[in-house]
């Protein structure tokens, strides 16, 4: 039995779909805080709220492998411990979606991932860590707004991002959850190519025929731009901090491991822009 937490989210849904291509649906469990959101996935659905450990305990019953999809709330590092503990007690292998270079980066966003990785390693559970680089989809609001604004905004300078599609990361998670030889591995998963915001602006110009440039802003100004588009101020600060770390090439490495796991090239940001705007 393979249990996927966060199965109602964008990534979780894709992982469940990928798993059911590889193993019988009866071997897959979608564990979700909001079970009705996962009811259409065609697999057994179990309630699993990271804030209610008793639900996690029940959700991972008879699991051989558990995918812990990282949460989104400020207390997620604490929330994750409930899943790690439950997987350990169930005797399951735990697979965790982490962040690039979680053990060394100074990016504030990665602190929860570093804490979770440390907890996993100290727990004694058998684990695989998937350090997912950014999703192409993260940039959808900026891509959608760019033709009208004539600009893409950021604070990442010439720094590059080796993004891939959510579907690529989902396929990799499914490959690990159904494969062998991944115990104890920490995989840095990234797209095949890294691009700068100027490259992104150029792609948008190419696809739309409109002039779109990259406007590099100081960190605080960029946080203000994000807050102005409705991003809650504390999260806007964290995203601006991500960009500062991108300027130092935090997300630029292209180790090729994602491509190897999924057996195909990753989806480029250019293809993604075309699918959104063409
Ligand atoms: N690499 C990247 O570029 C990137 C970008 C964004 C996020 N992430 C991380 O990757 C994760 C998956 O991405 P995504 O696109 O699938 O995010 P998403 O669509 O926002 O899904 C988040 C999932 O987490 C679940 N969740 C939140 N709080 C929970 C709780 N207390 N108990 C149980 N489940 C809870 C949500 O459940 P509900 O449906 O009940 O809300 C949802 O299923 C995110 O949660 C985040 O940690 C990575």
């Amino acid at each position: 039995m393979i249990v996927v937490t966060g199965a109602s989210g964008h990534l979780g849904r894709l992982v469940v779909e990928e798993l059911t291509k590889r193993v019988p649906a009866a071997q897959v469990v979608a564990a979700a805080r909001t079970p009705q959101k996962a009811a259409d996935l065609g697999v057994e659905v179990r309630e699993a709220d990271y804030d209610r450990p008793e639900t996690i305990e029940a959700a991972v019953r008879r699991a051989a492998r558990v995918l812990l999809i990282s949460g989104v709330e400020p207390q997620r590092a604490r929330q994750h411990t409930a899943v790690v503990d439950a997987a350990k007690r169930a005797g399951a292998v735990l697979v965790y979606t982490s962040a690039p270079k979680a053990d060394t980066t100074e990016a504030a966003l990665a602190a929860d991932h570093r804490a979770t990785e440390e907890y996993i390693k100290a727990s004694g559970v058998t684990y695989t860590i998937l350090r997912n680089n950014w999703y192409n989809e993260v940039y959808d609001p900026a891509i959608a707004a760019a033709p009208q604004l004539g600009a893409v905004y950021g604070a990442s300078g010439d720094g590059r991002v080796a993004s891939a599609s959510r579907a690529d990361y989902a396929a990799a998670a499914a490959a690990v959850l159904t494969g062998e030889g991944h115990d104890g591995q920490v995989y840095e998963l990234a797209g095949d190519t890294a691009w700068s915001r100027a490259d992104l602006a150029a792609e948008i110009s190419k696809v739309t025929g409109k002039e779109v440039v990259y406007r590099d802003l100081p960190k605080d100004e960029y946080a203000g731009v994000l807050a102005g588009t409705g991003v809650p101020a504390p999260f806007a600060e964290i995203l601006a901090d991500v960009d500062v770390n991108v300027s130092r090439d935090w997300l630029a490495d292209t180790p090729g491991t994602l491509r190897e796991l999924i057996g195909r090239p990753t989806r480029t940001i250019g293809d993604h822009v075309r699918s959104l705007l063409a």
Side-chain angles (χ1 to χ4, degrees), residues 99-221:
K101 303 175 186 167
D103 53 340
T104 55
T105 178
E106 289 173 5
L109 185 75
D112 295 335
H113 293 292
R114 178 161 53 249
T116 301
E117 287 194 7
E118 286 170 0
Y119 190 85
I120 289 169
K121 288 174 183 170
S123 74
V125 74
T126 304
Y127 66 85
T128 306
I129 290 171
L130 308 176
R131 290 183 176 162
N132 291 344
N133 200 302
W134 262 219
Y135 309 151
N136 291 333
E137 290 84 353
V138 162
Y139 298 93
D140 287 1
I143 294 167
Q148 212 179 351
L149 296 173
V152 170
Y153 294 92
S156 55
D158 298 329
R160 292 168 307 137
V161 177
S163 66
S165 68
R166 268 201 199 89
D168 292 331
Y169 297 110
V176 166
L177 287 162
T178 57
E180 299 301 330
H182 305 296
D183 291 356
Q185 298 294 320
V186 179
Y187 293 128
E188 297 280 350
L189 301 182
D192 296 339
T193 51
W195 49 271
S196 68
R197 285 292 222 300
D199 296 333
L200 176 61
E203 285 288 352
I204 297 168
S205 292
K206 198 164 77 185
V207 171
T208 61
K210 295 183 182 157
E211 192 190 357
V212 175
V213 296
Y214 173 47
R215 297 220 185 287
D216 194 53
L217 303 175
K219 179 186 170 193
D220 292 346
E221 240 177 89

Side-chain angles (χ1 to χ4, degrees), residues 3-193:
V3 175
V4 178
T5 71
S8 58
H10 291 91
L11 182 67
R13 295 183 63 86
L14 291 168
V15 173
V16 169
E17 284 166 19
E18 281 291 332
L19 285 172
T20 54
K21 289 180 199 163
R22 295 161 191 258
V23 297
Q27 289 177 26
V28 180
V29 170
R33 170 173 62 178
T34 322
Q36 60 272 28
K37 283 202 214 165
D40 61 331
L41 282 168
V43 301
E44 181 188 346
V45 179
R46 296 180 186 167
E47 185 186 13
D49 182 340
Y50 299 155
D51 274 327
R52 291 164 51 226
E54 68 282 7
T55 63
I56 309 285
E57 202 72 44
V60 304
R61 201 167 295 139
R62 293 191 309 281
R65 292 176 180 189
V66 174
L67 176 64
L68 165 54
I69 292 187
S70 51
V72 288
E73 296 172 325
Q75 70 279 23
R76 63 181 175 172
R78 176 183 57 70
Q79 292 175 331
H80 295 162
T81 64
V83 184
V84 178
D85 292 346
K88 173 84 171 37
R89 273 196 291 273
V93 173
L94 181 84
V95 181
Y96 173 63
T97 63
S98 188
K101 303 175 186 167
D103 53 340
T104 55
T105 178
E106 289 173 5
L109 185 75
D112 295 335
H113 293 292
R114 178 161 53 249
T116 301
E117 287 194 7
E118 286 170 0
Y119 190 85
I120 289 169
K121 288 174 183 170
S123 74
V125 74
T126 304
Y127 66 85
T128 306
I129 290 171
L130 308 176
R131 290 183 176 162
N132 291 344
N133 200 302
W134 262 219
Y135 309 151
N136 291 333
E137 290 84 353
V138 162
Y139 298 93
D140 287 1
I143 294 167
Q148 212 179 351
L149 296 173
V152 170
Y153 294 92
S156 55
D158 298 329
R160 292 168 307 137
V161 177
S163 66
S165 68
R166 268 201 199 89
D168 292 331
Y169 297 110
V176 166
L177 287 162
T178 57
E180 299 301 330
H182 305 296
D183 291 356
Q185 298 294 320
V186 179
Y187 293 128
E188 297 280 350
L189 301 182
D192 296 339
T193 51

